Amino acid sequence: MDCLAPYDRVEIILSTSWVHHLGYQRAKNALPVALSERVVGATFHSKYFDAGTWASKPRGAQVLRYVQTHRLMRWLAIDDEILGFGDHVSHVVRCDEKLGLGDAKTQMVLCTRLAEQFG
């Protein structure tokens, strides 16, 4: 992902059902190397008290819990779902469910948001 290149300190946290179903390592390894080497964690972990109901929580709630727990000040989420993000929707790069980051428009928005948050 070319627009990540200027931001070598940006880390990736997975918030995807892949982690819940495949496990963290397999989900991480499914990404292109340029992305997977930046992955440092996931919003889902089986040790959480609510791991059994995690999948039923809105993705935004999952992400915001991670953001709050780790006291992140600058962050972005890339998701096809904005439910649960509330007032933090400006931190979400919304993508097409089928195209994800393969969509040129989504990539442009991501580049813009990276510059706003981390530039």
Side-chain angles (χ1 to χ4, degrees):
M1 173 121 318
D2 291 342
C3 65
L4 267 177
Y7 311 102
D8 60 347
R9 298 185 73 195
V10 170
E11 299 171 331
I12 297 174
I13 307 301
L14 298 177
S15 176
T16 172
S17 58
W18 289 12
V19 173
H20 189 241
H21 295 290
L22 300 176
Y24 170 74
Q25 199 60 50
R26 284 180 65 198
K28 177 181 173 178
N29 292 343
L31 296 170
V33 174
L35 295 179
S36 69
E37 63 189 10
R38 290 178 179 247
V39 174
V40 297
T43 59
F44 172 81
H45 196 292
S46 58
K47 72 178 180 180
Y48 291 146
F49 73 94
D50 60 351
T53 61
W54 190 251
S56 66
K57 296 184 182 313
R59 188 84 42 81
Q62 296 171 7
V63 171
L64 290 177
R65 179 164 89 175
Y66 188 95
V67 166
Q68 292 163 354
T69 299
H70 292 79
R71 296 185 172 117
L72 302 180
M73 301 302 289
R74 296 183 301 167
W75 61 275
L76 289 174
I78 303 167
D79 209 321
D80 62 346
E81 179 183 306
I82 58 169
L83 187 63
F85 282 101
D87 294 339
H88 302 283
V89 76
S90 64
H91 289 268
V92 181
V93 174
R94 192 167 189 186
C95 62
D96 180 271
E97 176 182 329
K98 293 180 178 134
L99 299 175
L101 286 173
D103 178 49
K105 286 185 199 176
T106 301
Q107 291 176 22
M108 287 176 33
V109 172
L110 176 60
C111 291
T112 300
R113 295 278 178 86
L114 281 165
E116 291 169 359
Q117 285 291 321
F118 304 101

